[in-house]
Amino acid sequence: MGISSDFLPASAAWSEKMGLTFPLLSDVSRKTLEAYDFLETDPNNRLYRYARRSYVIIDKAGIVRYKKILEKPGDLVSDDELLKELDRLNEPDKPK
């Protein structure tokens, strides 16, 4: 799933435009973004409290197993990197 700090109607429109096949949740209060340290709060930035592009993998027990916060909004983590991380977490012999 994805999380956006936009209002739900804006997130829904963006999700439809991009053809997303996963849920896009709205975190207008920015509580989730703040809890995971995904919230930028630079008073010198005109946006001030905005979401940083971030990736997190949380296991079924609710434990964060992977977290990556990117510096630039246009940067992306490759599908290969994310799939490799998921494969690593599913290996029974290795510590998680």
Side-chain angles (χ1 to χ4, degrees):
M1 73 183 70
I3 300 175
S4 170
S5 57
D6 292 331
F7 287 98
L8 193 54
S11 292
W14 189 84
S15 180
E16 184 178 327
K17 179 179 179 179
M18 299 299 294
L20 300 182
T21 58
F22 53 85
L24 185 58
L25 308 176
S26 177
D27 184 24
V28 175
S29 68
R30 293 164 168 79
K31 289 180 181 178
T32 302
L33 297 172
E34 191 169 29
Y36 285 96
D37 198 29
F38 297 158
L39 186 64
E40 181 63 53
T41 56
D42 179 0
N44 296 319
N45 187 304
R46 64 181 178 84
L47 298 175
Y48 182 53
R49 290 174 44 89
Y50 64 93
R52 297 186 290 173
R53 183 174 303 271
S54 308
Y55 295 80
V56 64
I57 296 173
I58 303 170
D59 70 13
K60 290 179 181 180
I63 299 169
V64 173
R65 299 297 184 177
Y66 172 89
K67 180 177 172 180
K68 189 167 193 174
I69 302 170
L70 304 175
E71 293 297 318
K72 298 176 186 171
D75 289 348
L76 299 172
V77 171
S78 71
D79 291 344
D80 288 342
E81 181 176 339
L82 293 172
L83 291 171
K84 181 179 174 183
E85 216 35 58
L86 288 170
D87 286 343
R88 187 183 70 77
L89 294 174
N90 285 320
E91 294 175 2
D93 301 329
K94 301 216 175 167
K96 311 232 183 324

